[in-house]
Amino acid sequence: MDTGLLLINLLLFLFLPLWGIAGFVDWLCHRATHIETTSGLKESLMHTLMGIQVGIPIILCVNFRVNVLILLLCLLAWALHELVAHMDVKFASPRREISIWEMHAHGYLATLPLYMLSIIAVINWPIVMDLLQGHWAGQLTLNRMEYEHGFDGYFVWYLSFMAIFCVFPYLEENLRCLRALLKNKSVSA
């Protein structure tokens, strides 16, 4: 088997699902520490933003041929994710307990995007060199894949997996925090 294909399978079948599972564990920790009555909606929205910041590069890399544009978007998303992750912990730590389980989940949530980006760079090394050398001509467009990564229906399977383990739980967290905020405002008034 080709090394590039092995690395793609590592991304698709280990790192991407593991990132979703770590997000679910993180959500469980937020629930256990009653995020809605401690750090509240602001922190919950940061979690949603971080999910989007990693979700966009995942969608791009699974559906489009990697070129300079895709790499630039992935690098930008990763840098912004790191910034928001720092802001999240700085905001949350004085307001609620961050358990050892949550710190462990954060370890995966922080490092897996970098590992995935690194593997994408290795698989697409000529594109990385084009990016670094400024050979961007013809590489700033979105070009759909002629084939689908993984097995038939992988992308639909992965989106369903992420909806169950991340999207719906974090929507629930946002709604729970919003309800608590509105309840506190009505009690204060």
Side-chain angles (χ1 to χ4, degrees), residues 56-72:
I56 289 172
I58 289 170
I59 290 168
L60 290 173
C61 288
V62 171
N63 289 295
F64 297 96
R65 188 168 304 286
V66 174
N67 60 17
V68 169
L69 175 64
I70 299 291
L71 283 180
L72 285 171

Side-chain angles (χ1 to χ4, degrees), residues 17 20-21 23-25 27 160-170:
I21 291 167
F24 183 74
V25 169
W27 171 78
S160 301
F161 174 85
M162 290 303 289
I164 293 166
F165 283 94
C166 291
V167 174
F168 295 144
Y170 281 94

Side-chain angles (χ1 to χ4, degrees), residues 29 44 59 75 88 175:
C29 293
S44 184
I59 290 168
L75 287 167
D88 171 40
L175 291 172

Side-chain angles (χ1 to χ4, degrees), residues 73-175:
L73 292 171
C74 289
L75 287 167
L76 177 63
W78 174 76
L80 291 173
H81 178 268
E82 289 300 303
L83 177 67
V84 175
H86 174 77
M87 292 168 46
D88 171 40
V89 173
K90 185 177 179 181
F91 178 79
S93 59
R95 290 169 175 80
R96 67 177 181 84
E97 176 193 358
I98 299 177
S99 71
I100 190 71
W101 287 104
E102 187 171 353
M103 284 189 261
H104 196 60
H106 286 180
Y108 283 94
L109 292 168
T111 56
L112 281 169
L114 177 61
Y115 299 158
M116 290 187 281
L117 183 57
S118 299
I119 290 173
I120 289 166
V122 167
I123 293 168
N124 297 283
W125 191 249
I127 307 297
V128 172
M129 294 310 298
D130 287 344
L131 171 69
L132 295 174
Q133 294 170 355
H135 301 144
W136 296 15
Q139 294 201 52
L140 297 175
T141 60
L142 293 176
N143 302 310
R144 268 220 163 294
M145 292 270 188
E146 296 169 9
Y147 59 91
E148 185 178 341
H149 287 306
F151 54 85
D152 274 346
Y154 174 83
F155 189 61
V156 172
W157 172 85
Y158 185 70
L159 288 179
S160 301
F161 174 85
M162 290 303 289
I164 293 166
F165 283 94
C166 291
V167 174
F168 295 144
Y170 281 94
L171 282 175
E172 183 274 338
E173 177 178 289
N174 285 329
L175 291 172

